[in-house]
Amino acid sequence: MDNHKELSDFLPGGADFKAMAGSPVEAGVALASEADLVTALKTVYDPEIPVDIFELGLIYEYDIDQDGSVEVKMSLTAPGCPVAGEMPKMVAEAIASVKGFGEVTVELVWDPPWTKERMTEEAKFALDMW
């Protein structure tokens, strides 16, 4: 019997934790842009770190589809982060709140693990992490 557990075994939804928000973009509404997406991402902060998740390098990839739906893959600074179960939902809701974005899916991933090298220069300066 294998008793080995990964952190993802304790998160809601296991290793494939996803959060969803939003609804299809209504006809006639202009689609939002990549700049709008980045702006929305920069409104989300880890409660313990005074730098937004985009500058921290927690957003690994994103895709805006032609219908305005958005898919995001993100990580956290540490697997034991106390907001692990909440952060993807916070990100999905921030994006979905922007007019011109439709259905949003945010997936929490752990591979590759986050390192401080993913941070922008501004984030490193703000956190004194040179």
Side-chain angles (χ1 to χ4, degrees):
M1 181 174 171
D2 182 14
N3 289 331
H4 177 75
K5 298 277 186 194
E6 298 288 332
L7 174 65
S8 59
D9 295 325
F10 299 97
L11 293 174
D16 295 324
F17 182 72
K18 291 183 181 181
M20 300 176 80
S23 57
V25 177
E26 295 180 24
V29 173
L31 297 181
S33 68
E34 181 177 357
D36 295 325
L37 176 63
V38 171
T39 298
L41 291 169
K42 288 184 170 197
T43 67
V44 182
Y45 287 75
D46 180 316
E48 298 177 335
I49 303 172
V51 175
D52 68 75
I53 62 168
F54 190 83
E55 298 292 333
L56 280 174
L58 297 179
I59 303 303
Y60 282 14
E61 73 182 63
Y62 53 81
D63 182 51
I64 304 170
D65 203 355
Q66 292 180 347
D67 66 358
S69 62
V70 179
E71 292 185 17
V72 175
K73 288 189 179 181
M74 67 171 294
S75 193
L76 300 172
T77 56
C81 180
V83 294
E86 301 166 30
M87 187 68 72
K89 184 71 171 169
M90 293 166 54
V91 172
E93 290 173 351
I95 297 167
S97 72
V98 176
K99 187 174 184 172
F101 285 133
E103 296 173 330
V104 179
T105 303
V106 177
E107 181 180 2
L108 187 59
V109 298
W110 301 107
D111 190 30
W114 178 87
T115 64
K116 72 177 187 173
E117 285 72 33
R118 297 189 60 90
M119 295 168 54
T120 63
E121 295 301 314
E122 292 84 5
K124 289 176 184 176
F125 180 76
L127 298 174
D128 198 23
M129 292 182 73
W130 297 99

